Amino acid sequence: MKLSEVEVGKKIQVIVVLDEKRLEFESIIAAVVDQSVLIEPIMNDDKTVGFNNHEAAAIYIAEDNKPYAWSGIEIKLVRYQEQIYHQLVAKTQGAPFNRRRAYRQYVGMEGMVNDLHKNYKVIVKDVSIGGCSFVCNDELEIGHNVLVSFSDDKENYSIRCTIVRKYVIEENGKTVYGCASHVANRKIEHFIMEHQIIDMQRRNS
């Protein structure tokens, strides 16, 4: 779906990283001009936010109630017909965004698990809105509350969760731990969204 195919008057969610903080804003689509979208200006403390041409991501709910997501969006303040708007320009098409709690996004990155007593080196296998799984050489108990953390080249991520299952990989003897989380985690949601878009672009290339 092209960003320019969105419907005027509908809501759109914009995610921007400013000063190493991930911020989310909701706005209304005001107009579609050429290949760009104009949205009602995003305000903070009664002031229009100047994003200084930062890149953003966006989530839009289409008519079929299916969410679409874009990353790498250019966002800036513009004047159009004597009004101020934020302009969104997408470099790529939007990809369907899977918001199910059960959807698992592969990670495969080194990370750390802390159970309030000790740090354990792990491989974070996957994450979802409802939890994560990791591979560890050490023995951990089901029911323990842990903090799972990992980093990519943009951000540090952490998930507070409870170990709910485990099984041993026969080939190497390592243990996979499955964890459940009931705390909203916007960073993880954004991580899943970004990587769904990347995976979709790879499949279509």
Side-chain angles (χ1 to χ4, degrees):
M1 181 179 184
K2 295 180 180 179
L3 186 60
S4 57
E5 294 174 342
V6 298
E7 183 179 343
V8 172
K10 287 287 193 73
K11 293 180 180 179
I12 191 167
Q13 184 181 12
V14 178
I15 303 104
V16 182
V17 175
L18 290 175
D19 298 326
E20 299 184 351
K21 293 181 180 180
R22 198 180 300 275
L23 305 175
E24 296 186 11
F25 305 94
E26 189 173 83
S27 185
I28 302 296
I29 299 166
V32 177
V33 181
D34 296 327
Q35 297 300 310
S36 71
V37 170
L38 303 182
I39 63 174
E40 297 294 337
I42 295 171
M43 311 290 289
N44 185 35
D45 293 332
D46 296 324
K47 295 180 180 179
T48 304
V49 179
F51 292 109
N52 298 322
N53 294 327
H54 275 72
E55 287 195 348
I59 300 175
Y60 168 78
I61 309 298
E63 287 185 357
D64 56 4
N65 204 34
K66 181 182 293 184
Y68 286 84
W70 292 261
S71 63
I73 290 178
E74 296 178 357
I75 180 170
K76 62 181 179 180
L77 275 174
V78 298
R79 183 178 292 274
Y80 178 73
Q81 295 183 347
E82 304 303 318
Q83 299 292 325
I84 296 294
Y85 299 98
H86 274 107
Q87 180 188 52
L88 307 180
V89 179
K91 301 175 183 177
T92 61
Q93 291 198 22
F97 175 46
N98 194 323
R99 297 186 301 176
R100 293 184 298 116
R101 288 184 62 84
Y103 176 82
R104 296 179 182 178
Q105 176 62 51
Y106 175 74
V107 179
M109 298 179 183
E110 293 183 354
M112 195 73 66
V113 166
N114 181 279
D115 65 356
L116 300 181
H117 301 288
K118 184 179 177 181
N119 288 323
Y120 303 90
K121 290 184 178 181
V122 302
I123 299 295
V124 180
K125 184 171 179 285
D126 57 52
V127 296
S128 70
I129 294 175
C132 66
S133 69
F134 59 86
V135 180
C136 184
N137 292 327
D138 297 282
E139 183 69 19
L140 299 171
E141 295 298 324
I142 291 177
H144 278 195
N145 295 322
V146 294
L147 178 67
V148 180
S149 58
F150 66 96
S151 302
D152 59 15
D153 56 352
K154 297 180 181 178
E155 191 68 78
N156 299 319
Y157 303 92
S158 60
I159 307 170
R160 294 190 180 278
C161 50
T162 303
I163 298 174
V164 295
R165 61 185 178 276
K166 63 180 180 180
Y167 64 89
V168 176
I169 303 173
E170 293 184 0
E171 290 80 1
N172 56 26
K174 295 183 179 181
T175 304
V176 177
Y177 293 88
C179 301
S181 175
H182 303 288
V183 179
N185 192 321
R186 297 299 185 188
K187 278 190 176 182
I188 292 297
E189 289 181 19
H190 190 75
F191 176 89
I192 294 170
M193 179 192 73
E194 284 186 331
H195 284 268
Q196 283 190 59
I197 294 172
I198 292 171
D199 291 344
M200 179 70 69
Q201 291 171 344
R202 287 173 177 168
R203 289 195 296 268
N204 294 335
S205 62

